[in-house]
Amino acid sequence: MKVAIVSDLHLGYERFYDDAYTQASEALTKASEIADAIIIPGDIFDFRSPKPDVIAQGLNIFRQLKDKMWEARITKYSGQGRIFTDIPVIAIPGTHERRAQDSENAVEIMNLAGFLANGSEATIEISKGAEKISVSSLGGVSEERVKDMLKEYSFSPVPGQFSIFMLHQSIYELLPFSDEFICYDDLPKGFDLYVSGHIHSKVIAKVHGKPFLIPGSTVLTQLKDGEQEPKGFFVFDTQTNEYKFHEISSRKFMVERIDISDKDPSQIKMEVVEKLAKATKSKVQNKPIIRIVLEGRSNESTKQISMEISEIIKNETNAVVELSKGNVENYEMESNIESLRQKSIENLSIKDYGMVLFLERLKDNNYKLGVSASELFDMLTADTNKEKVIKKATDIVLESTPP
Ligand SMILES: [Mn+2]
């Protein structure tokens, strides 16, 4: 059976709203043409409570999948919830969709509508002719709870079937900055394929000797170095154990680094002009995004240099250009661990980055209340009404903390 892995569609992502929709649509349509089944390891939506317009985008895309004549079908569901379709499209909620317990997430709404099967904390069997495969999944949970959840559900492969394990979590080997993150070794043993979302650039690794795949997001979100590679999805063939990455036509993103050390502004300006000319040489339908990163040390003030470059950027019509001078001030070599950590942080969304800072701050202050730190973070970011969330969080903290 051919299984497509499409992840982190981020429908509703404000900065590239149209890209998010068209690229998600292209990825899923292409996947449905090539594959017998589609699995989605989280973040279909960019928000925990997507607006009706964004839900409508989701319904539009998934309705087309529903209308396809699938030969493969879901033939068994083992889990606590219920599913309402037998089409082989299985998804789990990710970080961006995760909500406090007892409130419905958008993936469950799609499940209730029968547009996909919510695979969270369940094992789903898909059959095509005589071949049966199974997909076991843990929906995205807070990082403190993930180890307990894995223990609680003690996922195991289905004997005699090609078995896939799907999740949406930070993995320590890829994001080494919290002891709470699970390691590859913490994943349940015995599966034939491991699949995760959450990280927005492509990852190919091995877990317990078997392939571990993250396709990355279908839309540009963070404008970090790792997002320069083409977007797309994996298709895994369970018969041959081979897999292939299929590209989609995503907006191009380029990072151009310019070392400003010992150069005067006119030299730097010229380099910027040259880099932009080169980057926009081939004409494409969607204007590419180019991030110019200034590096090094200069005697000229960076403000002066930025001003000069801003002029060029304003006049560029073939691209969307961004200027970043983050590396100018602190150019000294950092320790290896610190630089690895910084690099990993670059792969996080703003929300996750906020959570990292929040967790670190709590740790520094010896936080030990009855509510886990990331649950507290979730509560505090659940609503835009500050007083309401603070009151609710205080109530829960006081209730659950032993005197
Ligand atoms: Mn994501």
Side-chain angles (χ1 to χ4, degrees):
M1 218 179 290
K2 287 197 171 93
V3 182
I5 306 148
V6 187
S7 193
D8 293 79
L9 311 165
H10 287 272
L11 291 176
Y13 179 60
E14 272 166 8
R15 186 157 183 203
F16 300 117
Y17 188 84
D18 293 336
D19 286 7
Y21 179 62
T22 52
Q23 291 173 199
S25 179
E26 184 188 331
L28 286 169
T29 307
K30 267 194 180 157
S32 74
E33 285 159 6
I34 305 169
D36 300 302
I38 300 176
I39 58 177
I40 304 168
D43 285 356
I44 292 177
F45 297 102
D46 192 58
F47 296 102
R48 275 179 275 196
S49 305
K51 294 185 188 111
D53 283 1
V54 178
I55 301 236
Q57 288 186 338
L59 292 172
N60 265 325
I61 295 176
F62 283 88
R63 189 188 49 243
Q64 287 169 37
L65 301 184
K66 200 174 148 73
D67 291 345
K68 186 197 150 176
M69 292 304 295
W70 297 87
E71 200 188 331
R73 292 281 164 171
I74 290 176
T75 41
K76 199 169 162 189
Y77 172 89
S78 321
Q80 300 285 310
R82 277 181 76 190
I83 59 169
F84 303 91
T85 181
D86 66 349
I87 62 152
V89 177
I90 302 173
I92 53 171
T95 356
H96 287 258
E97 294 140 328
R98 187 180 66 213
R99 302 188 64 205
Q101 271 162 354
D102 304 328
S103 28
E104 290 302 5
N105 62 65
V107 171
E108 180 56 17
I109 289 169
M110 303 286 284
N111 176 67
L112 288 169
F115 278 50
L116 52 77
N118 184 348
S120 299
E121 292 82 73
T123 294
I124 295 178
E125 178 191 85
I126 302 171
S127 306
K128 183 192 173 195
E131 190 192 0
K132 288 181 192 306
I133 67 164
S134 67
V135 182
S136 300
S137 317
L138 175 69
V141 292
S142 64
E143 304 295 352
E144 291 102 331
R145 286 178 61 213
V146 60
K147 281 178 196 164
D148 289 341
M149 292 284 277
L150 285 174
K151 236 180 244 155
E152 187 183 333
Y153 288 95
S154 61
F155 294 97
S156 57
V158 178
Q161 290 183 9
F162 185 94
S163 300
I164 301 171
F165 185 71
M166 170 159 75
L167 78 170
H168 182 104
Q169 296 299 144
S170 300
I171 309 272
Y172 187 79
E173 282 88 343
L174 302 169
L175 301 167
F177 54 76
S178 167
D179 303 342
E180 265 146 8
F181 293 175
I182 47 166
C183 299
Y184 286 142
D185 265 355
D186 294 321
L187 294 175
K189 290 194 171 77
F191 285 87
D192 301 294
L193 170 64
Y194 297 83
V195 165
S196 184
H198 196 47
I199 290 173
H200 283 189
S201 40
K202 185 173 44 170
V203 174
I204 299 174
K206 284 247 151 131
V207 167
H208 304 311
K210 294 297 161 83
F212 171 91
L213 302 177
I214 297 178
S217 60
T218 53
V219 61
L220 278 172
T221 51
Q222 294 142 18
L223 303 193
K224 302 293 181 190
D225 289 19
E227 285 200 298
Q228 291 178 90
E229 52 182 42
K231 298 287 181 194
F233 57 91
F234 283 112
V235 173
F236 192 99
D237 189 329
T238 61
Q239 298 279 348
T240 61
N241 275 310
E242 278 164 3
Y243 55 88
K244 200 184 153 204
F245 188 76
H246 294 262
E247 288 177 15
I248 56 169
S249 39
S250 55
R251 187 189 292 273
K252 242 183 125 133
F253 169 60
M254 287 163 269
V255 178
E256 296 291 350
R257 295 178 182 280
I258 296 175
D259 187 349
I260 61 170
S261 310
D262 309 318
K263 287 175 191 158
D264 60 52
S266 67
Q267 252 177 309
I268 298 167
K269 240 170 97 172
M270 213 158 74
E271 265 190 56
V272 173
V273 170
E274 276 167 17
K275 293 236 180 199
L276 286 180
K278 218 174 131 197
T280 56
K281 215 165 74 191
S282 54
K283 295 280 167 288
V284 283
Q285 201 193 350
N286 278 329
K287 283 184 193 175
I289 299 158
I290 303 168
R291 162 171 273 187
I292 294 176
V293 182
L294 302 182
E295 289 177 330
R297 289 174 158 259
S298 169
N299 296 329
E300 309 285 337
S301 86
T302 40
K303 207 170 165 193
Q304 178 60 31
I305 296 170
S306 318
M307 261 169 57
E308 304 244 356
I309 298 175
S310 303
E311 264 313 295
I312 310 172
I313 290 176
K314 245 191 268 158
N315 296 326
E316 178 59 62
T317 51
N318 295 320
V320 180
V321 188
E322 260 205 10
L323 181 64
S324 146
K325 39 188 195 289
N327 295 340
V328 175
E329 278 88 8
N330 45 15
Y331 190 52
E332 290 89 23
M333 282 299 281
E334 292 149 339
S335 73
N336 277 343
I337 289 180
E338 185 56 20
S339 72
L340 181 61
R341 186 172 169 279
Q342 287 297 341
K343 242 186 133 174
S344 315
I345 283 178
E346 290 207 341
N347 282 327
L348 290 179
S349 67
I350 298 295
K351 189 197 151 196
D352 289 335
Y353 183 54
M355 179 143 92
V356 168
L357 296 180
F358 183 71
L359 295 181
E360 279 178 353
R361 213 45 68 77
L362 289 183
K363 219 178 204 172
D364 291 347
N365 288 298
N366 287 320
Y367 174 83
K368 37 173 149 354
L369 298 178
V371 174
S372 79
S374 75
E375 269 174 277
L376 185 62
F377 180 83
D378 278 349
M379 273 180 239
L380 293 171
T381 54
D383 203 313
T384 46
N385 185 331
K386 262 191 208 157
E387 277 156 35
K388 222 167 84 188
V389 293
I390 290 174
K391 184 172 184 314
K392 198 177 162 204
T394 319
D395 287 350
I396 294 173
V397 166
L398 290 177
E399 223 171 78
S400 54
T401 304

